[in-house]
Amino acid sequence: MTNIIENNHESLNLPVIALRGLVVFPNLSIQFDVGRKKSILAISAAMEHNQKIFLVAQKDLADNDPDRSQMYPMGVVAQIKQVFRHSEDGLRLLVEGQHRAKIQGLTQESPFIEADVVIHETAACPKTPKSEALMRRTQALFEEYIQNYKQVPPDIILNVVKQKDCGRLADFITSHITLDYEEKQEILSELDPVKRLENLIDILEEENQILEIENEIAAKAKEQMEQNHREYYLREQMRAISYELGEDESPQDECDTFREKVMELALPEKSEEKLLKDCARLAKMPSSSHEYNVLRNYLEICLDLPWNVSSDEVIDLEKAAKVLDKEHYGLEKVKERILESLAVRKLAPKNNGQIICLVGPPGVGKTSVARSIAKAVGCEYVRISLGGVKDESEIVGHRKTYVGSMPGRIISAVRQAGTNNPLILLDEIDKLCSDFRGDPASALLEVLDSEQNSSFYDHYIDLPFDLSKVLFLTTANDHTTIPAPLLDRMDVITLSSYTHEEKFQIAVKHLIPKQLKKHGILAKQLKITQSAVHEIISSYTKEAGVRGLERNIAKICRQCAKVIVDDPNAKTTIKKSNLEDYLGPKKFRHDEISKRDEIGLVNGLAWTSVGGEILPIEVAAMTGTGKLELTGNLGNVMKESAKAAISCVRTRAENLGISTDFYQKMDIHIHVPEGAVPKDGPSAGIAMATSITSALSQTKIRHDVAMTGEITLQGRVLPIGGLKEKTMAAYRAGIKNVIIPADNVSDLAEVDQVVKESIEFHPVHRLDEVLNLALTEMPKPKKSQPGADDRKPDPLPDPAVSQP
Ligand code: ADP
């Protein structure tokens, strides 16, 4: 149903004014200014005739001369009530809207616009329950609007209550609320009064919500401002009171103190000048302002730096050797290299060229060696952990204009040391990362470069600082991941895994006495027997270093301390038999390798950042369609290496008694247990090839043989890294024979003597040699498919492995 009665479509020809951002409604008076020439001429034309004019909103506010397409179709025919000249070329107009009307067409565009318009008069809306409900809802919403939006005069509400017609009510409210002209135009264009009211309700609901949020925000902001003012006054009062009581320095006094300190520091001229300027700036700032505190903080940090404070560094090689020996067992080569570096530092203090980098798995004493060096030389020691540092500004600081800015880690370390010649340990330099925030490695280059670091520039300090006297030392787990330019400047000293015997000696000579002292226990109160120490090493730890071992000893000490507190005369002895009472059940098995020769199971050797490990590799060959399955969390390189191993075996299939079509008729599954540990690298190549040959030819592999080596498609064995760590793992597991690439023979010099004594090494060039050594029996050439019937009789294992 429609309530529109288009009143005889009366058509008029009227002068037109295009309104910018303004919508006029019927039955309402409005005053506005007119400046455009066309509009002024239109008014003159209307005044000469019947004072009627057509007012219509233009779509684009920026358009200075809108044409028909730039005007909304619906406007209002209005009666001009008054015209004043309010400026030289501007008029002020009071008009009263009369009827909605639609433009039919422009009859003239110049000198002013004239158009044919058709009046659309709406009859009074009949009263229905729906219209009544809508009117009441609108009135309620409008009341709420007025409460939220305080700028509407409250007497308007009286007129709203008086309105009895839906359409008129909608027009009246729309013209009195603050709305976008486009939304107002939508209300004007709606001829159905009920729909018009419904649209208005939607708008009012949304507006009320927005106003409520706006008011909330305003209230909060006001509260915050009042709080800030309050704090400001209270602070100022407090300061004034303290000053009167002589408890606090006045800002001026504070600046004078800073100035005196700057003068005392005897800084280079430019730096001194800059700091004095900052002092002068501080004196002019209101003492409670944020800037004052930032600048004051900056000056405090700058003045706190050890610009000219050095500790008395004495390099006495004999004494240094004693300190190193006293605090560390073994590590002969490492100590020797360190003493050499110290000798160079003594002879040529300016030649800070090569930085020592201690590389080794965790817990082998890198950090504690560094601490000993500081002690030996008599300088301060500070450690900076670089693990996970991604941001350049962590090294060189943030500019002090940043909120919460601070100096970088290097300057903070120097400040912490309190001298300008400390030993700074840059720990875990291989764990630096770089991302979009800059490259911390290149920032470190500047720090470590002896050419540049005599005027190191921290963004926060904003002054050059001399780092040339600092003794830098770095540590890493794996030198291959140190950024190349950094590695270039370093003198790498490798600390490798400890043997069981070394761990035992370290425990007895260092860790146990150290922990006893730390826990306040006397040697007579706690005794740990030798067998118990051996047992802790083999059954409670599995590590390259001695951290776990130290932790277990600390655990025993803690429990013993409790007993001593209860009874000071108590004496505890830890033996192998009662170790479980203190450390719980054993965590690791003694032997990780299989006790029997098996088909498809080989002992590989892996090298991880925590040292060497036995890497058992299992292969199963099953009748199938030639699928290859690789499981056990293998990295891409290892997967490729597995594929190369298969192809290599395939080229030799006939000679190895393997059916040549195994790649079509057998499925091969290669599994490397302990799936939770990621594994990668090419060094398991020969181990995989051996295991595949074993599974396909159904020949057993010796359980006391371990191997490492990369494989090529031709079956050549290529050299690998980490031989020392890998052989150590083999030694720990009780392996007697280790197959290594012939090219790695020179690395055997590095391998520990104990390991060499108990393991026989077999250098090889080709896969055939490996198979000869590792398989219990060489498979005989044949062409049939391996199956249950073809299986060889199990030969008696031959304990002696032939030398190549
Ligand atoms: P890293 O820095 O290599 O991870 P730490 O320096 O933290 O290892 O060493 C761990 C613990 O082992 C320290 O308490 C350290 O004193 C001790 N330690 C390591 N190696 C030796 C050693 N050769 N002699 C004596 N104590 C050692």
Side-chain angles (χ1 to χ4, degrees):
M1 189 193 95
T2 174
N3 298 310
I4 311 161
I5 302 162
E6 286 176 4
N7 205 6
N8 60 28
H9 293 282
E10 184 190 347
S11 181
L12 299 170
N13 183 268
L14 293 175
V16 176
I17 299 184
L19 300 173
R20 280 202 243 223
L22 186 69
V23 178
V24 180
F25 284 87
N27 306 310
L28 287 159
S29 298
I30 192 166
Q31 183 172 300
F32 58 91
D33 292 339
V34 180
R36 280 186 280 192
K37 201 158 182 206
K38 271 191 179 178
S39 307
I40 291 172
L41 289 174
I43 294 168
S44 309
M47 292 308 284
E48 278 167 19
H49 193 51
N50 54 2
Q51 290 108 47
K52 279 195 197 302
I53 195 152
F54 183 66
L55 302 175
V56 65
Q58 69 182 62
K59 290 178 187 169
D60 180 6
L61 298 190
D63 194 346
N64 238 340
D65 188 15
D67 56 14
R68 165 81 170 87
S69 66
Q70 276 305 312
M71 294 174 192
Y72 285 105
M74 183 69 81
V76 162
V77 173
Q79 183 77 38
I80 300 176
K81 293 284 180 195
Q82 269 178 358
V83 185
F84 325 87
R85 179 163 292 279
H86 81 102
S87 66
E88 206 162 291
D89 42 19
L91 297 179
R92 181 158 294 168
L93 210 61
L94 178 69
V95 297
E96 186 188 70
Q98 289 183 328
H99 318 282
R100 281 178 163 75
K102 250 186 196 162
I103 301 181
Q104 286 300 96
L106 302 189
T107 50
Q108 156 184 325
E109 287 194 48
S110 178
F112 58 88
I113 308 172
E114 211 170 49
D116 280 339
V117 300
V118 177
I119 290 178
H120 286 261
E121 198 52 83
T122 313
C125 172
K127 208 169 166 183
T128 63
K130 183 179 176 187
S131 68
E132 190 58 25
L134 285 175
M135 281 178 65
R136 283 190 202 168
R137 175 81 187 129
T138 315
Q139 282 160 349
L141 282 171
F142 186 62
E143 247 173 90
E144 198 182 317
Y145 178 88
I146 289 185
Q147 269 167 16
N148 282 331
Y149 189 69
K150 309 261 168 5
Q151 288 164 27
V152 179
D155 57 314
I156 298 275
I157 195 81
L158 279 180
N159 286 328
V160 167
V161 177
K162 272 196 248 154
Q163 289 292 346
K164 295 288 173 236
D165 180 78
C166 299
R168 283 196 177 192
L169 179 67
D171 287 350
F172 184 80
I173 291 180
T174 312
S175 68
H176 281 95
I177 59 179
T178 310
L179 266 193
D180 202 26
Y181 73 95
E182 284 161 335
E183 278 179 298
K184 284 194 175 184
Q185 179 68 37
E186 258 175 53
I187 299 281
L188 181 75
S189 308
E190 183 53 65
L191 293 173
D192 180 342
V194 173
K195 268 200 198 143
R196 199 183 303 159
L197 209 52
E198 281 172 347
N199 291 351
L200 179 64
I201 286 176
D202 288 346
I203 292 175
L204 277 176
E205 270 170 354
E206 200 182 318
E207 281 298 305
N208 280 343
Q209 256 179 17
I210 296 172
L211 283 175
E212 227 166 81
I213 297 170
E214 266 181 15
N215 287 344
E216 245 169 59
I217 295 172
K220 266 193 202 144
K222 194 171 160 216
E223 202 176 302
Q224 184 66 41
M225 245 167 62
E226 278 167 2
Q227 177 76 6
N228 288 350
H229 271 109
R230 212 174 102 84
E231 271 176 22
Y232 174 82
Y233 283 119
L234 288 176
R235 275 227 178 83
E236 282 299 295
Q237 273 177 2
M238 224 161 67
R239 208 179 283 270
I241 292 169
S242 307
Y243 181 52
E244 285 300 317
L245 291 174
E247 287 169 356
D248 198 11
E249 288 178 308
S250 76
Q252 190 56 49
D253 290 348
E254 201 167 44
C255 296
D256 289 344
T257 319
F258 278 140
R259 204 171 288 134
E260 271 165 33
K261 280 192 189 162
V262 173
M263 302 301 282
E264 276 168 21
L265 285 179
L267 296 176
E269 200 178 321
K270 276 195 178 161
S271 303
E272 187 180 279
E273 209 174 285
K274 180 179 176 294
L275 286 181
L276 287 178
K277 250 190 207 165
D278 282 335
C279 290
R281 227 156 44 87
L282 189 73
K284 287 185 202 140
M285 285 180 182
S287 62
S288 53
S289 69
H290 175 65
E291 287 77 15
Y292 181 89
N293 284 319
V294 170
L295 190 57
R296 185 172 178 274
N297 213 10
Y298 165 76
L299 284 170
E300 261 176 4
I301 291 179
C302 279
L303 297 178
D304 200 25
L305 287 180
W307 296 93
N308 286 316
V309 187
S310 309
S311 54
D312 302 328
E313 184 180 297
V314 187
I315 300 184
D316 174 347
L317 293 189
E318 212 174 304
K319 186 185 152 214
K322 264 191 200 154
V323 173
L324 286 173
D325 278 338
K326 187 169 167 247
E327 299 193 343
H328 292 93
Y329 172 84
L331 303 175
E332 305 308 337
K333 273 195 198 155
V334 177
K335 290 176 188 166
E336 196 56 42
R337 291 280 295 276
I338 289 168
L339 291 177
E340 284 166 18
S341 299
L342 290 180
V344 175
R345 188 172 165 90
K346 182 166 184 163
L347 293 182
K350 290 272 168 219
N351 175 13
N352 224 348
Q354 288 291 345
I355 309 286
I356 297 179
C357 179
L358 301 170
V359 176
V364 292
K366 300 181 294 296
T367 323
S368 71
V369 162
R371 202 176 296 125
S372 291
I373 298 175
K375 197 163 159 193
V377 184
C379 61
E380 296 296 324
Y381 164 85
V382 193
R383 175 175 161 271
I384 302 178
S385 173
L386 295 176
V389 167
K390 288 185 193 151
D391 193 345
E392 197 180 50
S393 47
E394 285 200 44
I395 308 289
V396 293
H398 276 295
R399 284 184 201 292
K400 63 176 175 296
T401 41
Y402 272 60
V403 177
S405 59
M406 278 195 312
R409 293 194 185 201
I410 304 289
I411 287 292
S412 301
V414 173
R415 187 172 168 223
Q416 189 188 335
T419 59
N420 60 8
N421 60 343
L423 184 151
I424 297 187
L425 179 71
L426 301 168
D427 213 0
E428 303 195 317
I429 199 160
D430 54 337
K431 308 277 181 333
L432 279 180
C433 329
S434 74
D435 67 3
F436 63 95
R437 282 168 289 199
D439 181 7
S442 58
L444 265 188
L445 266 184
E446 257 174 61
V447 174
L448 298 181
D449 187 348
S450 57
E451 305 277 307
Q452 298 181 40
N453 69 8
S454 58
S455 56
F456 170 68
Y457 194 86
D458 181 281
H459 290 328
Y460 180 83
I461 299 296
D462 209 10
L463 296 170
F465 189 91
D466 183 5
L467 289 179
S468 62
K469 289 193 211 149
V470 176
L471 175 56
F472 285 106
L473 222 72
T474 61
T475 77
N477 288 141
D478 180 0
H479 69 87
T480 55
T481 52
I482 302 177
L486 274 179
L487 189 60
D488 222 33
R489 282 195 171 59
M490 288 183 197
D491 185 7
V492 173
I493 302 182
T494 314
L495 289 84
S496 42
S497 318
Y498 291 127
T499 56
H500 184 102
E501 186 52 31
E502 281 173 326
K503 288 184 188 173
F504 176 77
Q505 294 296 342
I506 294 173
V508 172
K509 295 199 171 115
H510 296 273
L511 304 181
I512 297 179
K514 195 160 90 183
Q515 289 301 327
L516 286 181
K517 197 170 163 205
K518 216 171 172 182
H519 288 82
I521 300 172
L522 300 175
K524 63 177 185 193
Q525 289 172 315
L526 172 65
K527 190 166 177 317
I528 305 179
T529 62
Q530 296 199 353
S531 60
V533 177
H534 282 299
E535 183 68 5
I536 301 175
I537 297 170
S538 51
S539 299
Y540 289 90
T541 62
K542 184 180 172 189
E543 56 180 351
V546 290
R547 262 197 211 155
L549 179 58
E550 189 172 23
R551 222 176 297 126
N552 278 303
I553 293 171
K555 194 170 172 186
I556 293 174
C557 289
R558 278 202 302 277
Q559 295 176 48
C560 179
K562 200 169 148 238
V563 174
I564 292 170
V565 170
D566 288 343
D567 172 10
N569 295 322
K571 289 196 170 98
T572 315
T573 305
I574 311 288
K575 292 176 273 186
K576 189 174 173 184
S577 53
N578 65 355
L579 198 55
E580 291 206 359
D581 300 342
Y582 291 85
L583 298 180
K586 291 177 190 168
K587 296 205 176 96
F588 302 102
R589 283 174 290 122
H590 281 281
D591 49 341
E592 300 155 340
I593 57 165
S594 163
K595 289 201 180 82
R596 290 188 301 132
D597 299 339
E598 308 236 14
I599 293 173
L601 173 64
V602 69
N603 297 314
L605 292 171
W607 177 38
T608 66
S609 63
V610 295
E613 268 187 62
I614 293 279
L615 188 74
I617 296 174
E618 300 173 350
V619 175
M622 303 141 283
T623 315
T625 54
K627 266 191 295 195
L628 171 64
E629 191 95 53
L630 296 160
T631 53
N633 205 350
L634 310 186
N636 282 341
V637 179
M638 197 155 176
K639 283 184 186 160
E640 284 171 6
S641 174
K643 287 179 188 158
I646 290 178
S647 300
C648 177
V649 171
R650 216 175 121 193
T651 57
R652 298 169 149 63
E654 231 167 282
N655 286 341
L656 292 172
I658 299 168
S659 163
T660 45
D661 56 0
F662 79 83
Y663 69 94
Q664 285 174 328
K665 299 203 170 144
M666 307 290 283
D667 283 352
I668 296 179
H669 186 159
I670 303 180
H671 178 62
V672 188
E674 291 198 52
V677 184
K679 310 160 191 92
D680 205 359
S683 71
I686 59 169
M688 287 195 276
T690 307
S691 195
I692 292 163
T693 311
S694 156
L696 289 170
S697 67
Q698 294 290 304
T699 324
K700 290 187 176 175
I701 303 173
R702 284 178 203 281
H703 71 278
D704 63 344
V705 173
M707 59 185 76
T708 175
E710 183 174 347
I711 193 151
T712 68
L713 290 179
Q714 279 80 30
R716 275 188 306 125
V717 180
L718 301 185
I720 45 80
L723 188 71
K724 183 174 176 191
E725 317 285 340
K726 287 175 175 174
T727 52
M728 182 78 72
Y731 162 76
R732 275 204 304 264
I735 292 219
K736 294 282 171 266
N737 296 283
V738 174
I739 302 174
I740 58 166
D743 289 345
N744 277 109
V745 168
S746 58
D747 297 334
L748 284 175
E750 297 269 303
V751 172
D752 265 85
Q753 198 50 37
V754 252
V755 177
K756 278 197 252 187
E757 277 164 19
S758 71
I759 288 181
E760 194 171 340
F761 290 97
H762 304 274
V764 293
H765 293 93
R766 306 194 64 81
L767 177 65
D768 309 286
E769 295 166 53
V770 177
L771 297 177
N772 226 329
L773 289 162
L775 298 179
T776 52
E777 183 195 8
M778 247 341 235
K780 303 242 162 19
K782 62 173 182 158
K783 287 179 189 171
S784 62
Q785 178 77 22
D789 299 338
D790 304 331
R791 205 172 285 173
K792 291 181 180 17
D794 285 347
L796 281 175
D798 174 5
V801 174
S802 58
Q803 273 301 120

